[in-house]
Amino acid sequence: MSETRRELSAWFADFSRETLTLDGEADLFALYGIEGDDAFEFMDAFVNRFDVEVDGYRWYFHHAEEGMNIGGWFFKPPYRRVQRMPITPDLMVEAIDGKHWPVQYPPHDLPTVRWDIRVNQMMFVVPVVLFSLWLWNRFVA
């Protein structure tokens, strides 16, 4: 086992309180149930610990978002528009050794507006506005 893999394994055990699988091709996020905010925290901790440059990291290739996304029923969120790519111990070792995120993502297009999020926002705003108008009409006007 390389020194980098030992350091990664020790960091992973400290971060997750679990022993890192030694299978270099294991899908860590799927294996350990890392999704949404946990995945963002995982990557932030990884970057801070190993000083890896991740400007090219595209989260939506690796994990979903957290929480209920009703707008996602009508408009695909980014992670459903691309094929998922696993984050493996081998990939992380390569990132640590090279000090940059080594994944070359396939060409893809994402809309400039997250319509799924807009639907979610409207589901909150419209009832609040309608309720406010009802209150105004009932007690002020």
Side-chain angles (χ1 to χ4, degrees):
M1 180 185 298
S2 72
E3 182 61 30
T4 303
R5 190 171 294 274
R6 268 193 288 281
E7 288 179 33
L8 176 63
S9 184
W11 169 79
F12 189 86
D14 186 49
F15 178 81
S16 68
R17 306 291 186 243
E18 300 206 31
T19 303
L20 178 65
T21 179
L22 296 180
D23 177 11
E25 293 302 315
D27 183 346
L28 297 178
F29 284 13
L31 188 62
Y32 295 102
I34 301 171
E35 286 288 338
D37 293 343
D38 294 338
F40 289 112
E41 290 173 16
F42 178 92
M43 289 304 295
D44 283 343
F46 173 73
V47 165
N48 290 333
R49 167 60 181 88
F50 295 104
D51 195 31
V52 174
E53 178 60 50
V54 292
D55 280 348
Y57 177 75
R58 302 291 177 254
W59 67 268
Y60 47 87
F61 277 94
H62 305 291
H63 63 87
E65 293 171 295
E66 210 164 294
M68 182 181 290
N69 182 359
I70 294 173
W73 296 348
F74 306 103
F75 300 98
K76 288 183 180 180
Y79 61 89
R80 287 185 33 218
R81 294 175 178 269
V82 297
Q83 184 166 347
R84 189 175 175 288
M85 301 171 79
I87 292 185
T88 66
D90 285 350
L91 177 64
M92 296 181 80
V93 166
E94 185 179 346
I96 294 167
D97 289 342
K99 294 297 183 194
H100 72 278
W101 191 246
V103 176
Q104 295 295 318
Y105 297 102
H108 60 286
D109 291 317
L110 294 178
T112 55
V113 175
R114 290 279 309 265
W115 289 108
D116 58 318
I117 300 297
R118 295 281 194 239
V119 168
N120 293 340
Q121 291 168 336
M122 291 304 292
M123 290 182 68
F124 174 75
V125 170
V126 169
V128 168
V129 168
L130 290 175
F131 183 68
S132 298
L133 289 172
W134 178 80
L135 285 174
W136 178 266
N137 189 38
R138 174 105 168 122
F139 297 107
V140 177

